[in-house]
Amino acid sequence: MTQRADGRTPDQLRPVTIERGWSSQAEGSALISFGGTKVLCTASFTNGVPRWLTGKGKGWVTAEYAMLPRATNERNQRESVKGKIGGRTHEISRLIGRALRAVVDTKALGENTIVIDCDVLQADGGTRTAAITGAYVALADAIEWGRAKKFIGQKSQVLLDSVSAISVGIVDGVPLLDLPYVEDSRAETDMNIVVTGRGLFVEVQGTAEGAPFDKRELDQLLELGLAGTAELRRHQLAALGQAE
Amino acid sequence: MTQRADGRTPDQLRPVTIERGWSSQAEGSALISFGGTKVLCTASFTNGVPRWLTGKGKGWVTAEYAMLPRATNERNQRESVKGKIGGRTHEISRLIGRALRAVVDTKALGENTIVIDCDVLQADGGTRTAAITGAYVALADAIEWGRAKKFIGQKSQVLLDSVSAISVGIVDGVPLLDLPYVEDSRAETDMNIVVTGRGLFVEVQGTAEGAPFDKRELDQLLELGLAGTAELRRHQLAALGQAE
Amino acid sequence: MTQRADGRTPDQLRPVTIERGWSSQAEGSALISFGGTKVLCTASFTNGVPRWLTGKGKGWVTAEYAMLPRATNERNQRESVKGKIGGRTHEISRLIGRALRAVVDTKALGENTIVIDCDVLQADGGTRTAAITGAYVALADAIEWGRAKKFIGQKSQVLLDSVSAISVGIVDGVPLLDLPYVEDSRAETDMNIVVTGRGLFVEVQGTAEGAPFDKRELDQLLELGLAGTAELRRHQLAALGQAE
Amino acid sequence: MTQRADGRTPDQLRPVTIERGWSSQAEGSALISFGGTKVLCTASFTNGVPRWLTGKGKGWVTAEYAMLPRATNERNQRESVKGKIGGRTHEISRLIGRALRAVVDTKALGENTIVIDCDVLQADGGTRTAAITGAYVALADAIEWGRAKKFIGQKSQVLLDSVSAISVGIVDGVPLLDLPYVEDSRAETDMNIVVTGRGLFVEVQGTAEGAPFDKRELDQLLELGLAGTAELRRHQLAALGQAE
Amino acid sequence: MTQRADGRTPDQLRPVTIERGWSSQAEGSALISFGGTKVLCTASFTNGVPRWLTGKGKGWVTAEYAMLPRATNERNQRESVKGKIGGRTHEISRLIGRALRAVVDTKALGENTIVIDCDVLQADGGTRTAAITGAYVALADAIEWGRAKKFIGQKSQVLLDSVSAISVGIVDGVPLLDLPYVEDSRAETDMNIVVTGRGLFVEVQGTAEGAPFDKRELDQLLELGLAGTAELRRHQLAALGQAE
Amino acid sequence: MTQRADGRTPDQLRPVTIERGWSSQAEGSALISFGGTKVLCTASFTNGVPRWLTGKGKGWVTAEYAMLPRATNERNQRESVKGKIGGRTHEISRLIGRALRAVVDTKALGENTIVIDCDVLQADGGTRTAAITGAYVALADAIEWGRAKKFIGQKSQVLLDSVSAISVGIVDGVPLLDLPYVEDSRAETDMNIVVTGRGLFVEVQGTAEGAPFDKRELDQLLELGLAGTAELRRHQLAALGQAE
């Protein structure tokens, strides 16, 4: 069996920590780490919705992803200094938002807005998947905050399910779970999957970085990913103090 | 069997046309249509590479996607007027670039740059997949132009395979191929797949717009998509005057 | 007599085609060509006016001009990528808007807005004049659309006249009509004139690119231009299926 | 005869003053006024040319026009605050640059760059024409500065002619010279002409603001403008201390 | 005693001139000079306040500072061309706004807005202090304009005090008042102080450019500055035709 | 004696923590907290200097400050999304850079660049002073990293002194040290002082938010600040494991 550089087996996650309530300012927050990747997720709850949604009896959940300039091994110029947001940032922000909305009943949320900010403080591969996984915890707390403040009905079932995400990839022909930067940069195929607590897919994004892949490889990656997200779900439940 | 609004069967493409060499200015070009979706793809060949790639003996292929303001049913503000490119535009440009690079041997291309512009003149769903499919034709011609001009070696095998793309989705529980806008906007699950001529995956991007999907549904969609891209490959070969 | 590179006489237009209704999305549209110059003009009709004009009982007509990156012989960076619109683009957009407003009775239009988009798909000189000439056709159709939808009164005379435009210039001392790029780039004097169907001037923009010009030369150019725009008017009428 | 609001005859300029050398920082400068319109023109001389012109033995002259936010009767937002330059600003900057280059022999200038800044301190109509007229004086002094510093050959004839500009227009059917804001805003036709000291046209830009105009009206306006620019030329010569 | 390059004693201001009412467009204006530094200050009065302040019975005073591109010895690119405002510009605009608001009773001003524009026409050190000193004069006139128009109550005491500003610094160990560029660029410590007519501090901004400074040096600088601002106050009173 | 809301005496700092080496990516880093204010400071060391400094044998130290969108009680829009950096951000970035450069011998640093990023993860007043204080620790470690890598000479004395900063202000007439948000927002006078380890001033920035202040009050504030920065210096030494 392949020995990975950090000693993990191919189907093993890096150590996961979720520091719930890290921020004393936000209505929900979590500092999540997948090994060396650390993402601060905050959820901002506002009563009311953007103008285009007013009067429809539905809420809105959106997300913004960003990376501190020295989260990575070499410093990147700030997007605020460049004056524009890069394609990768946009793409990941949109992905996180879609992932969260997939488990939210916006009618039950009522005319409230929740903005999730995922700021990568340190990056070592898998930042978007850590962001989604931590964002769910922040979101859950923000919803409870809204309920406590009576912006959300006491019995409204806003969350339909939980959601988490993980990266999988093929390196030297071997399917691996949760790739750190050193593996990710060498992967022939790279895939991010977003899965609900019930094990249904929300997003499957596979890209051939090196060689195109076939159906059998795709199936192996999906299987690895489903196992990984099931384990992440247990971390989320533990952080939220919920029973399985 | 479900009757689709335009009378197609679930596994049927819309009428496909590829007008090769539409532009007399570009080194390669194609005006492609998938039903009411029309995309002008041009390939600009430049001898030389961006500075960051100089001296590595490798070429560069990149793409830019955009939509005319009135390609859609309601006019959208121009991104040049807004002063910035939206997330969706960035995301699709990046997807097209990755799809094309997956079938290009950049060493064989040599220190040459090919920029593919995909401008949507009219939009009715599936613009990114039409763009990839047409871009391949423009790319192939630009490579031959470069060969004729001796910027590329006479025997260099620059293209490793062909590449095309199609959308698939689940509407009212039924997996469908090549969704026009009216179906796409109602789809529970929406997927774009990019496949090489040999039938290998380059990209698989599936998103649950409505309900999350399970492995069986994913498999059905992939099967539909593989058949669709195989047919698109035949259109590409015909446009390029190549035998299968 | 000077033989022009394309065989035309000095007072001859290039072949003109107007494909009315090219777009199935816009309320009015025309794909116009002056030789190798091809411009897609779409007219977007909206009931209502910008806030600054509300309640004055008047409509608004405006235009935006742009060029696809590979419309020209060498690829230009997209203005959306640069993040700003160049001076030339602004200048031509403003010119087209003024030209159209000169033949529109905004009171008769009522509180409706028409935005004309002129996108140059291929450029070989005279793009702004082709744009104005095609935009008139798109505008006329959008007005009729508005009338059919009862946004405009049945008897309102919105169009006071037709309008078209042509370039003229002095090359090697000879006044020429409708300059393609190869002539335009060598012209000593370059002029664009915009003329109504009745033969009155809306715009006269003459620039000495090489040597300053005198009154006699100016008069020769104006005469050529008046004859050219009269012929363009006949093309517009034919496209619109109107009698002279 | 029409009495103008400020008591002038139709063919009379407003009081013109040219304060040469107003700036102690620039290589050439002039504060010019046409009645209530005041424009500060500075010329910045740099040895060397932009990269795209290097090694061609030619110089470069360009211009930038701008207006202070409270130059006009109501305050306008700064373009630096908006983050982009408006169409009108771009258009006028380009016009000034073309006007000046029309009288410069860039070979005789040698590989030197002159940037003319025309900042409108107070606006009352005709700002672009005042700018061109003042810019010529600043340019002439910057050229002499470059000659004194030996960046330009002692005998090089850099200026081929002088250049000035004036507005003309038709108000209530009467052709008028040098329109202040109150006339300009009511003009049926508005024209700016740029003329060399020898009386040749560099630019003719006529626009029908109200009703389209015919050839006879155009001729009347051109005649007025030629007389006006001839008088401006005398002001320029006086400011520069040159004999006619 | 140190002889300064321009012959002044260490505690002497450069010649100060205040040309009140320079602009015929603005509600208040002053062209102020401190030696070679010339700043045009205009005050724009608008009845009403920004949305965020509506209905609070209070007015708003704000300022914008900018420099013409050739105000300095070498030309700087326009911030409108760069598409963004530099840090220094922002910082000075904010300083001027704070300085003016410190002497304004916004309740007495009522729901009116005054925007002060300070445009540096020529720069030779101390531009921000000249701007504040001139801005006060423009502000005072704009307030009287508002009173005359009945937007401000006849007896409202809007101005609580006057305000002026001056730079001080340590050059070669000697504390100096009102530094021109040649001294400013060599100063070990540079300080700007903003003082009311009654001699109270509004802002103290001291920066060690070379060596850090101690309390004794700080005290010497403050003393110089208080004497300088007292003298500027007399210039302001004279310009406004007020008794001391 | 005034009882402060958090129970501190007027001359008492909030609890200070400095987590040195928080980031495993940067050459130097510190997560600093002043009570509820938490700032992540990273120092990025690059061999070489910006082009404008090349060949002068000197290094460059600069800083960028930013705040996460939900660092504060209400979410702020990201500056990257707005497309421009606000005045406050610019001003603080410049302040931090000047503060650090005041204690660096750029000749001893050699042709190396250090960029300090100060990202506020949570804000409760005094973010700029915490940033400067933490940045010094990150800077010190980055310099030692550069020395270990031989980019800096073994005996080069790059740091001339330490530097820290604190806020002081007058609230209800009482001078207070280290203001949290609740005090800062009510302060009549607000001052930030930057002081070296030897007790010399680098920056003194005092602003009258409410009433202007006199010399006696200024002296009281400076005295408080000197005591506070002396204590911060001890925290820095402890974090760096240095003896006093």
Side-chain angles (χ1 to χ4, degrees), chain E residues 5-6 24-25 40 46 48 53 94 105-106 119 135 138 146 153-154 169 178 182 189-190 193 230:
Chain E
D6 54 11
S24 61
Q25 301 277 25
L40 177 56
T46 319
L53 202 58
R94 287 156 52 91
D105 177 344
T106 54
D119 285 89
Q154 286 316 105
D178 188 18
V182 71
T189 291
D190 184 21
I193 69 166

Side-chain angles (χ1 to χ4, degrees), chain D residues 87-167:
Chain D
R88 181 183 172 276
T89 298
H90 256 134
E91 199 168 322
I92 299 178
S93 293
R94 287 156 52 91
L95 170 66
I96 300 170
R98 286 198 308 268
L100 298 174
R101 285 191 296 274
V103 296
V104 167
D105 177 345
T106 54
K107 286 238 166 100
L109 175 55
E111 295 210 350
N112 295 298
T113 299
I114 300 177
V115 180
I116 309 286
D117 286 289
C118 298
D119 286 88
V120 179
L121 305 187
Q122 194 167 287
D124 184 21
T127 61
R128 77 190 71 189
T129 58
I132 290 169
T133 306
Y136 171 74
V137 173
L139 173 66
D141 272 348
I143 289 168
E144 289 318 307
W145 183 93
R147 201 187 303 281
K149 294 285 180 186
K150 316 263 192 222
F151 294 129
I152 297 177
Q154 287 316 105
K155 299 191 172 166
S156 294
Q157 178 86 17
V158 180
L159 286 172
L160 304 170
D161 202 343
S162 67
V163 66
S164 66
I166 199 69
S167 72

Side-chain angles (χ1 to χ4, degrees), chain D residues 36-112:
Chain D
T37 288
K38 301 181 187 184
V39 185
L40 177 55
C41 307
T42 59
S44 298
F45 189 106
T46 321
N47 185 228
V49 285
R51 191 176 311 192
W52 54 269
L53 202 59
T54 306
K56 302 198 174 160
K58 289 163 60 175
W60 182 238
V61 173
T62 188
E64 289 187 9
Y65 166 97
M67 218 183 250
L68 293 196
R70 192 55 200 278
T72 44
N73 191 248
E74 299 208 357
R75 186 177 186 273
N76 295 297
Q77 199 187 7
R78 287 174 190 272
E79 294 186 322
S80 59
V81 170
K82 289 190 213 169
K84 60 181 177 185
I85 290 180
R88 181 183 172 276
T89 298
H90 256 134
E91 199 168 322
I92 299 178
S93 293
R94 287 156 52 91
L95 170 66
I96 300 170
R98 286 198 308 268
L100 298 174
R101 285 191 296 274
V103 296
V104 167
D105 177 345
T106 54
K107 286 238 166 100
L109 175 55
E111 295 210 350
N112 295 298

